[in-house]
Amino acid sequence: MKLWGGRFLKEESSEAAAFTHSFGFDIRLARQDVLGSLAHARMLARQGILTQGEGAQLESALTQILGEVELGEAPFDPASEDIHSAVEMLLRERLGDVAGKLHTARSRNDQVVTDLRLWLKEQVAEVDRLLLGFQAVLAVRAEEHQDTILPGFTHLQHAQPVPLAHHLLAYFWMLERDRGRLADCLRRMDLCPLGSGALAGTGFPIDRHFTAEELGFSGPTLNSLDTIADRDFVVEFLGFAALLMAHLSRLAQEITLWAAPEFGFVELDDAYATGSSIMPQKKNPDVAELVRGKSGRVYGHLLGLLAVLKGLPLAYNSDLQEDKEGLFDTVDTLTGALTAFTGMIATARFRADAMERAAALGYSNATDVADFIAWQGVPFRQAHEITGRLVVACVDSGRRLEEMGTEELRAFWDGFPDGYRVPDARASAAARSSFGGTSPERVREQLSAAAALLPPDTLTDARARVNG
């Protein structure tokens, strides 16, 4: 059954059908399509466009189909052009001609964008739940490792020592920004397109506010032409997803490095690692590597849709059929990545001993010496120069800064007081007490702020997962 066959004298070729039909992937919108049809049928009967009897017939049959969809048992014809045709065909088999009245005052154009918004709203809620769960695991692991010190890096060189808690919380705040972007995306997505018709609305006395309320939207869209052409909500979600995957990929890169013997900062649980088919000793960080690799496909989906949209005249064009497969794959990729990554971080064993040994290397406490000299009134540029010469001497002699005695230090600057000792990595991190810094009290502030953003049950579940 075609929804558009009256104008045509020939059947669609099998080649054209194979290329243009979307049922193979938009069947994922079956539930949303039936929900939209239910709301539309109720509105048509309520407005007197259909009789109460016709409305009741449609509602009963659609409710039955909805139940079948939710059980995965809906007998859709796989040769259907799209999910909208499949639902209407099934309805016609069961109701006869009255099924054809359901399409009064609507178009596939407003159907598909309504379906897509409904589906994506549900996915947003699930992605946000997974993000919260991952944030909670990061917060719990940070709580455990407030006293674990590791080297902080710039240019992948030792820079200044930081607590592991501070490092993990950096990703917590990245994810919090991601959640903010997701919420912002949802706010603009939460308008109902149904009733916009093909592009110009309809002359039937429909009630778009009623259907919007029935479907859980905050209201109807305002411009029918914009509504049909709009895929900004998909682009915004893909943009959110691309940045989230960038954040996950950065942590994935660090975990991959930290798991290498040269670092030895983390040992992954066997359940979140894989082996080699030839090298028996291998324990590979595949979850992290695949998150890093899959970020590229999410970026590709974003750029692909932007390329589709950039030259489209208003309103609907079949190019917009390309909005779905990339979106579906992005949601699958995100949910899979967040689920696996959360488990990997929850079960990982952070090697505090290896981190602290590394933190003692690389002269990452040199800035503390320069700061001390500057505190005595020496311009910081001069303090920097003095400390740089001191580091060179330590490098040449193979010694650490904290191993230098007061007299040795005075050879570079005579203002060092009696008994002065260069702080070690732990003291260095503890000294940075500026707001947002690495001192114990500032890290505790961060932990409190993070906990305040998490639902108590989510935090409880994360603690059970980490400790279990």
Side-chain angles (χ1 to χ4, degrees):
M1 184 191 74
K2 301 293 184 188
L3 302 183
W4 43 265
R7 155 72 174 81
F8 290 80
L9 303 178
K10 288 184 177 181
E11 290 292 322
E12 185 181 22
S13 73
S14 59
E15 296 90 345
F19 186 66
T20 61
H21 286 197
S22 60
F23 179 76
F25 55 86
D26 68 17
I27 190 174
R28 289 181 72 152
L29 303 176
R31 179 175 171 275
Q32 289 73 26
D33 196 75
V34 178
L35 287 171
S37 293
L38 272 166
H40 189 65
R42 289 169 185 149
M43 182 275 295
L44 292 175
R46 185 172 181 268
Q47 296 298 106
I49 299 169
L50 299 183
T51 67
Q52 291 299 314
E54 291 168 335
Q57 282 184 274
L58 287 168
E59 185 167 346
S60 176
L62 286 167
T63 301
Q64 182 183 11
I65 293 171
L66 180 62
E68 293 168 348
V69 167
E70 291 176 339
L71 292 172
E73 298 175 353
F76 294 133
D77 184 347
S80 300
E81 182 178 3
D82 52 36
I83 187 57
H84 323 298
S85 303
V87 171
E88 189 166 330
M89 184 186 304
L90 190 56
L91 201 60
R92 184 170 294 184
E93 289 174 3
R94 297 178 179 183
L95 291 183
D97 287 345
V98 71
K101 295 192 173 186
L102 177 62
H103 208 58
T104 306
R106 77 172 180 183
S107 163
R108 283 191 299 179
N109 294 355
D110 61 344
Q111 262 186 281
V112 66
V113 72
T114 300
D115 292 357
L116 200 55
R117 286 190 187 225
L118 279 173
W119 182 85
L120 191 51
K121 280 179 64 179
E122 293 177 8
Q123 305 313 307
V124 164
E126 174 62 10
V127 170
D128 189 60
R129 184 187 70 80
L130 293 173
L131 275 170
L132 273 171
F134 187 30
Q135 282 184 295
V137 164
L138 287 170
V140 170
R141 299 314 307 263
E143 191 176 56
E144 290 178 337
H145 287 282
Q146 297 176 64
D147 295 327
T148 300
I149 305 297
L150 76 158
F153 294 90
T154 62
H155 308 279
L156 208 56
Q157 303 296 310
H158 286 218
Q160 292 177 310
V162 298
L164 178 56
H166 193 70
H167 194 110
L168 293 173
L169 286 170
Y171 287 98
F172 180 98
W173 300 116
M174 289 184 207
L175 297 179
E176 185 61 22
R177 293 195 298 274
D178 290 328
R179 290 192 64 231
R181 277 181 281 270
L182 186 60
D184 199 41
C185 170
L186 178 62
R187 179 176 60 82
R188 279 185 289 276
M189 190 189 308
D190 193 26
L191 294 173
C192 185
L194 199 58
S196 296
L199 76 164
T202 180
F204 287 95
I206 63 173
D207 185 347
R208 293 190 62 211
H209 289 85
F210 174 82
T211 48
E213 185 175 351
E214 282 283 292
L215 292 171
F217 287 99
S218 61
T221 56
L222 292 175
N223 182 292
S224 61
L225 194 62
D226 172 57
T227 298
I228 299 306
D230 175 32
R231 294 301 184 274
D232 290 3
F233 65 98
V234 181
V235 173
E236 284 193 72
F237 181 85
L238 293 175
F240 146 80
L243 195 46
L244 170 57
M245 287 300 292
H247 294 155
L248 296 181
S249 185
R250 294 181 77 172
L251 181 52
Q253 172 71 351
E254 294 196 318
I255 293 296
T256 302
L257 288 172
W258 289 2
E262 289 77 8
F263 279 81
F265 289 1
V266 67
E267 181 180 352
L268 299 178
D269 189 89
D270 286 357
Y272 292 92
T274 64
S276 164
S277 64
I278 187 173
M279 294 170 284
Q281 83 283 5
K282 293 296 295 298
K283 188 173 184 180
N284 299 324
D286 270 20
V287 169
E289 290 174 343
L290 283 171
V291 166
R292 191 176 60 191
K294 287 177 182 291
S295 60
R297 69 193 290 162
V298 174
Y299 301 165
H301 293 322
L302 170 61
L303 293 174
L305 184 56
L306 286 171
V308 166
L309 294 175
K310 71 175 180 61
L312 288 188
L314 301 179
Y316 186 80
N317 300 271
S318 288
D319 312 52
L320 290 175
Q321 190 168 292
E322 291 297 303
D323 62 356
K324 296 174 193 65
E325 289 178 280
L327 175 61
F328 294 160
D329 183 68
T330 293
V331 170
D332 291 344
T333 301
L334 277 190
T335 54
L338 283 168
T339 301
F341 219 92
T342 301
M344 182 185 69
I345 297 299
T347 57
R349 185 167 76 91
F350 292 108
R351 298 280 306 279
D353 54 344
M355 290 182 176
E356 298 200 18
R357 282 196 301 271
L361 305 175
Y363 307 100
S364 61
N365 51 356
T367 305
D368 298 84
V369 178
D371 286 347
F372 178 83
I373 297 171
W375 263 112
Q376 314 313 308
V378 177
F380 183 80
R381 281 288 150 243
Q382 292 179 29
H384 186 287
E385 178 71 19
I386 292 165
T387 307
R389 292 198 303 271
L390 179 56
V391 169
V392 170
C394 286
V395 170
D396 288 343
S397 64
R399 301 173 71 192
R400 298 178 184 176
L401 285 169
E402 58 268 36
E403 294 173 342
M404 301 286 280
T406 305
E407 291 305 317
E408 293 175 292
L409 293 171
R410 284 174 175 164
F412 296 88
W413 181 62
D414 61 9
F416 286 110
D418 291 340
Y420 173 79
R421 305 295 297 182
V422 176
D424 63 12
R426 182 174 299 279
S428 174
R432 306 197 181 283
S433 57
S434 57
F435 189 78
T438 59
S439 69
E441 63 272 25
R442 293 308 189 191
V443 171
R444 286 194 294 271
E445 286 175 353
Q446 279 194 75
L447 284 167
S448 295
L453 293 169
L454 297 169
D457 57 337
T458 302
L459 202 49
T460 299
D461 290 346
R463 287 200 174 98
R465 187 167 192 180
V466 169
N467 297 324

